[in-house]
Amino acid sequence: MALCGELDMGDLAWIREQVEPVVDIAERVVLDLSAVTFLDCAVLGLLVALSQRAEGVGNSLQVCGLQPHLMALVELFALPAVLDFRVSRAWAEEGGA
């Protein structure tokens, strides 16, 4: 799955509607954010919640393709300890660590 543009609190319901059903049934979901130019804390919180939801049903959510300025934000909040971040979509799909 891929998301794009500027994602903020106003997009939470839409993101949840798109991603939640997939994490419930797919063993592994790769969420490509390479076309995302902005993320706010609410969206980051939703990504954590979606990851936890996936784990709760025995599935996984991997996030890939974050632009460097967004990865810096993610690292600031120590989210790599809670979310599975991958460098690229291809790497995530191949199962790279």
Side-chain angles (χ1 to χ4, degrees), residues 18-91:
Q18 300 302 309
V19 180
E20 203 168 71
V22 179
V23 299
D24 285 345
I25 61 170
E27 186 175 311
R28 183 173 65 145
V29 176
V30 176
L31 191 57
D32 184 351
L33 302 183
S34 59
V36 172
T37 57
F38 174 83
L39 286 172
D40 72 4
C41 292
V43 174
L44 290 174
L46 177 58
L47 293 178
V48 170
L50 290 168
S51 177
Q52 291 171 337
R53 182 179 181 109
E55 288 176 15
V57 295
N59 298 331
S60 70
L61 173 69
Q62 296 172 332
V63 178
C64 68
L66 280 176
Q67 296 181 20
H69 69 284
L70 296 177
M71 195 61 195
L73 176 66
V74 162
E75 289 172 349
L76 177 69
F77 289 109
L79 292 181
V82 226
L83 282 171
D84 188 357
F85 287 96
R86 304 297 172 113
V87 174
S88 69
R89 185 175 188 159
W91 199 16

